[in-house]
Amino acid sequence: MSEKKKVSLLDGFKAFLMRGNVIDLAIAVVIGAAFTNIVNAIVKGVINPLVGAFGSKDLESYSSCLKGPCVTDPKTGEVTEGIRILWGSVLSATLSFLITAAVVYFLMVLPMAKYLARRAAMQAAKEGVQETMEVSELEVLKEIRDALVAQRSGGSGAGDSSGNGPFDGDRGQDPGPGREQD
């Protein structure tokens, strides 16, 4: 019995790993990590120096002292007096986020939304044509039914008793063998 549990647990785990969602998620994480490196390189190598050109240094180096003058130890680079706020690194991270969001939106989300909208419009048009065909087929069937009902009850169709039908009496027909015509 414990072997069945082991087999079913392993089968369940294998089924979980082989589901499309898990594989898609793993691919998304790998691509996202590589994409993050590209965006960070663009922000640090291009955007930060351009924004820093308005000042005197790199964007991540901008900071302010919250309390008193900031005194930095020249040997270690640590602040010994004052409280330093590194607002340049926050601005750099914000720019990195905005660039990432813009690239994802304009290169992935927007084209996919347009594709799905076109696909939905085509599907709606296809369903509209199918519905029109069904309606026209239904109308034709109703007309056939009405014509058959009119033939049966109206007296102008085949087999009616008015004498106008094609098989009424002996008029115009061959009397057959052994019968003489009047």
Side-chain angles (χ1 to χ4, degrees):
M1 187 172 194
S2 64
E3 204 167 307
K4 280 188 176 183
K5 280 186 180 181
K6 287 181 184 179
V7 171
S8 64
L9 286 176
L10 288 177
D11 287 341
F13 183 66
K14 183 179 177 182
F16 170 73
L17 289 180
M18 298 311 287
R19 279 196 320 206
N21 296 344
V22 174
I23 294 170
D24 290 344
L25 183 61
I27 291 170
V29 168
V30 170
I31 296 294
F35 184 69
T36 300
N37 289 336
I38 292 170
V39 171
N40 286 338
I42 290 172
V43 169
K44 287 181 181 179
V46 177
I47 304 294
N48 286 352
L50 287 175
V51 173
F54 295 109
S56 60
K57 50 190 164 186
D58 187 26
L59 185 61
E60 289 193 19
S61 301
Y62 284 106
S63 63
S64 298
C65 278
L66 184 64
K67 189 174 184 182
C70 289
V71 178
T72 307
D73 185 12
K75 293 179 184 177
T76 61
E78 293 181 16
V79 177
T80 56
E81 290 182 30
I83 300 172
R84 179 174 280 171
I85 303 294
L86 301 171
W87 59 269
S89 61
V90 173
L91 183 60
S92 176
T94 303
L95 287 172
S96 182
F97 169 75
L98 289 175
I99 291 170
T100 304
V103 168
V104 166
Y105 179 76
F106 289 112
L107 294 182
M108 294 177 193
V109 173
L110 191 61
M112 183 58 79
K114 286 183 179 181
Y115 168 74
L116 291 176
R118 269 189 269 131
R119 189 171 172 195
M122 287 174 36
Q123 184 68 24
K126 190 176 183 181
E127 287 175 2
V129 168
Q130 183 68 24
E131 186 176 302
T132 303
M133 286 177 44
E134 288 175 3
V135 168
S136 63
E137 287 177 3
L138 186 61
E139 291 298 320
V140 169
L141 289 173
K142 284 181 181 178
E143 289 175 9
I144 292 170
R145 180 201 62 203
D146 294 343
L148 289 172
V149 167
Q151 279 181 352
R152 286 184 187 156
S153 63
S156 62
D160 64 357
S161 59
S162 66
N164 296 332
F167 302 111
D168 292 334
D170 288 332
R171 278 183 250 156
Q173 292 185 359
D174 185 18
R179 293 179 109 193
E180 289 186 22
Q181 194 169 1
D182 293 335

